[in-house]
Each structure stands twice: as structure tokens, then as C-alpha cells.
Amino acid sequence: MVRKAVIPVAGLGTRVLPASKAIPKEMLPVVDKPAIQLVIEEAVQAGIKEIILVTRSGKEAIENHFDKHYEIEAELARKGKTAILESVQDILPSDVTLMAIRQPEAKGLGHAVLCAEAAVGNEPFAVLLPDVLVDCDDGETHDLSQMITNFNADNSTQVMVERVADEDISKYGIADCSDDPAAGSSASVKGFVEKPAADAAPSNLAVVGRYVFPARIMELLKDTPPGAGDEIQLTDAMDTLLKEQQMSVYRMSGQTFDCGNKAGYVEAVLNYALKHPETKEHTRALMKKLSV
């Protein structure tokens, strides 16, 4: 059973500077919640019970957000602000644990995942990249939950993908699979092509930033030499794993928002503002006004 999730949060956030100069990019607010809270809520909704943050110095605000804040809670209780108090107290369910592990050097995504090896142990685990928000609220399927269900059924690695426009294919890792899965379903994958030209791409299915791995990936990461950018690349270990066992892509049914860049962050804020009971009407009116 998949009970653990690794979330690498050690990045510098250069694509959203200067906002991320003093504040971790993962703490940028999406209406009234930092982006990292939405990512962890996604994991918890999928049944994850242990969250492992791979972090670095200067990112303590992320851990602090999920800790108790006695002064704020006491003041809210004194003033009778029950709803706000509950929103602060219930950030992390009581049956979910969160730990932080340092990545001492920036050696790539594969190295960041490997830093969590001791905490993961000999168990399968999910990896969620915090730049990407996945909103499943409007669909019947919770995408990460379905990926975990699929993994539990046959122990094959699951990689979330979504269709992208032809002009965006060259920005992503693209899946090479024989079948075109319907939204909410999986298909066996032959491999991945990194940022191909649209006319040379094997499909229009781009890797989103959600994975479910067997523990074996950690052993492979330890033996993976530095690749692109002289960093240990997760995709290189995945290529090796694919030679050993079946791997599947899961085509998501929700929406994604890349909060690692300014345009994607604005889209995410608007999306969640249109759903929040305190902001939806104002946001709708503002968007109507700006469209004139």
C-alpha cells in the first residue's frame, strides 16, 4: 500500500523572483492557502499518511506553517473566531505526519528524491512536485487516488500525464505509449522523450509532476550517474526502471496549474478564487469587467 509521499521543496524559485527572494515559492498564497498546503491536501485526500519534505536552509516557513501556533490560536479562541481557528488548527489531520529532510546540495530532482531514502524505506511512495497544483474538485475522479489504486493493483509505476497543445509540446517530457488513454485511465508506456519538437513527438501527453514508484527506484537512483546539467535526473532512473518492469502513464481528468511561473500562478489564483465562497462573486465580476 502507498502510504508515503515525497515532496521536493528545496528549489530556489527563480522563475517567480523577486517574490521568492525571502519567501519560499511554495508559500506563495493561492487565495487564503499557500500552494504547498494545496499539494499536501491532494496527497492526504489520496490516502497518504506520511509526508516527507525534502528541503534546505531558508525554507523553515514551510515546516512552521504545518506546526501549531499557540499565540494565534489562543487569540482567535479568545475573540470567538471559531471558523478561522478551525482553519488554522485543521491544516494537517491528526493521523498524518510530516517530516523534513535536508538536501545538502542542489544535485537535481533525482538526488532530492534519493535524500528521502531512509524515510521511505522499502515501501512504494508517491512523488508530488510542488510547482504543480492539480485541481480535481470538478471531476468524479481524484487523480492521485486513482494512480495509487492502479499501482496497488499491479505494482507498476504510474506517471501522470495530460494532453498539451502542439505549440507547448517542446516544453515538456512527452510519453511514448502505444495506446491513447482516456481521461482517468492508464496505458503502458514505452519511454519518455524530453522536450521534443512537435513534429517529432511520439504523442501530446506531457508529464505533469505526479508519480507513484516502487521502492526499487531508490536503488536505481543510487547508481544513476549525473546526467543533464551535471545533476542526478529522476528521468534517467525511470529509464532504467522501465527496462526492468512495466510502467504506466495515467491521463489525468482534473486541471493543472504550474505555479512555478508567473502566468501559471495567476491562473491558479483565479481558478481557486472562483471557487472560494468569500471571493468567487467578486472575482467573477472583476473578470467580466476586465474582459470588456
Side-chain angles (χ1 to χ4, degrees), residues 3 46 65 85 107 112 117 124 144 166 175 177 184 191 212 275 288:
R3 301 171 52 255
H65 178 70
L85 175 60
K107 291 185 176 182
E117 180 188 15
L144 185 60
D166 287 349
C177 46
V212 182
K275 295 183 174 189
K288 183 178 180 180

Side-chain angles (χ1 to χ4, degrees), residues 64-282:
N64 292 343
H65 178 70
F66 294 95
D67 201 355
K68 288 187 70 66
H69 195 305
Y70 294 100
E71 293 83 359
I72 287 179
E73 293 181 22
E75 185 66 9
L76 291 172
R78 185 183 69 81
K79 293 182 176 180
K81 296 185 176 181
T82 306
I84 301 177
L85 175 60
E86 290 176 352
S87 72
V88 171
Q89 291 177 326
D90 296 339
I91 287 176
L92 202 64
S94 60
D95 64 341
V96 175
T97 60
L98 182 145
M99 69 176 71
I101 295 173
R102 292 291 182 97
Q103 182 183 20
E105 298 178 75
K107 291 185 176 182
L109 177 57
H111 179 261
V113 172
L114 184 57
C115 287
E117 180 188 15
V120 167
N122 193 32
E123 294 186 40
F125 62 100
V127 172
L128 291 81
L129 303 190
D131 283 350
V132 179
L133 299 184
V134 177
D135 183 3
C136 298
D137 286 349
D138 293 335
E140 296 180 359
T141 302
H142 186 277
D143 289 314
L144 185 60
S145 296
Q146 188 60 50
M147 290 175 67
I148 290 174
T149 297
N150 293 350
F151 178 90
N152 290 338
D154 61 12
N155 293 316
S156 67
T157 295
Q158 301 286 315
V159 181
M160 188 182 289
V161 295
E162 68 173 337
R163 281 182 175 167
V164 295
D166 287 349
E167 59 266 27
D168 293 327
I169 283 177
S170 62
K171 302 175 184 177
Y172 298 94
I174 301 297
D176 181 3
C177 46
S178 54
D179 298 320
D180 184 9
S185 63
S186 295
S188 179
V189 66
K190 302 175 187 176
F192 299 92
V193 181
E194 188 64 24
K195 299 180 180 179
D199 57 1
S203 74
N204 62 355
L205 297 173
V207 176
V208 170
R210 299 290 186 270
Y211 312 83
V212 182
F213 289 118
R216 173 65 176 153
I217 194 73
M218 289 296 192
E219 292 296 323
L220 297 176
L221 282 168
K222 286 192 289 188
D223 294 330
T224 299
D230 199 31
E231 297 179 334
I232 298 174
Q233 299 294 340
L234 180 61
T235 51
D236 291 343
M238 289 170 60
D239 287 341
T240 305
L241 182 63
L242 185 55
K243 296 173 184 176
E244 297 182 359
Q245 56 186 256
Q246 179 180 321
M247 187 177 294
S248 298
V249 291
Y250 169 85
R251 186 180 153 205
M252 64 175 305
S253 58
Q255 289 182 281
T256 60
F257 301 93
D258 183 0
C259 289
N261 67 74
K262 299 175 181 69
Y265 173 69
V266 171
E267 289 178 3
V269 172
L270 288 173
N271 174 74
Y272 287 92
L274 285 167
K275 295 183 174 189
H276 196 290
E278 294 181 31
T279 60
K280 60 182 181 181
E281 295 302 330
H282 179 79

